[in-house]
Amino acid sequence: MVIETPRIIIDDELEMDVNTGIIGSGMKNVVESAVFPSEEIMCQIDRLENAISDLESSFDSYSTSRLSQPGREGIYQKAGLLTNIVIGVIIALIFIILVV
């Protein structure tokens, strides 16, 4: 009885052994195989997850960015308020100029 190891077929000639992370051509020629760099990819995925969580936390107006200084809670709310005030003043000035 032969036990098959789980493999992922990448291409017509490439397969990856799930248990060892070795990529080879049909797993018949072990000499031509290469080890899959899973540590580097996991490091990049962790960086991406940190960026995603930072982006998701920016939807809360009382949160801060990971790179901001301490005591900057509510900075997004202040920036939004100032932006809306400036846009409101500009629109009001345009209406005043058009009426006069």
Side-chain angles (χ1 to χ4, degrees):
M1 179 174 168
V2 177
I3 298 175
E4 291 285 328
T5 59
R7 289 179 275 178
I8 298 174
I9 299 173
I10 298 172
D11 199 359
D12 291 336
E13 298 177 1
L14 291 177
E15 292 181 1
M16 182 179 88
D17 186 5
V18 177
N19 297 328
T20 61
I22 295 176
I23 297 176
S25 59
M27 302 310 277
K28 296 172 187 168
N29 299 333
V30 181
V31 177
E32 297 178 12
S33 63
V35 177
F36 188 68
S38 59
E39 295 84 19
E40 295 175 15
I41 292 178
M42 293 306 292
C43 179
Q44 293 296 325
I45 288 175
D46 290 340
R47 283 186 59 210
L48 186 61
E49 285 177 351
N50 288 338
I52 289 171
S53 66
D54 193 28
L55 181 63
E56 287 175 347
S57 71
S58 71
F59 291 125
D60 182 17
S61 61
Y62 289 102
S63 67
T64 59
S65 175
R66 284 187 298 122
L67 301 175
S68 66
Q69 298 294 325
R72 304 275 293 183
E73 292 81 13
I75 192 68
Y76 294 125
Q77 184 181 19
K78 292 175 188 173
L81 178 67
L82 288 175
T83 301
N84 288 334
I85 289 173
V86 169
I87 290 174
V89 167
I90 290 172
I91 290 174
L93 287 175
I94 290 173
F95 280 142
I96 290 172
I97 289 173
L98 289 176
V99 169
V100 173

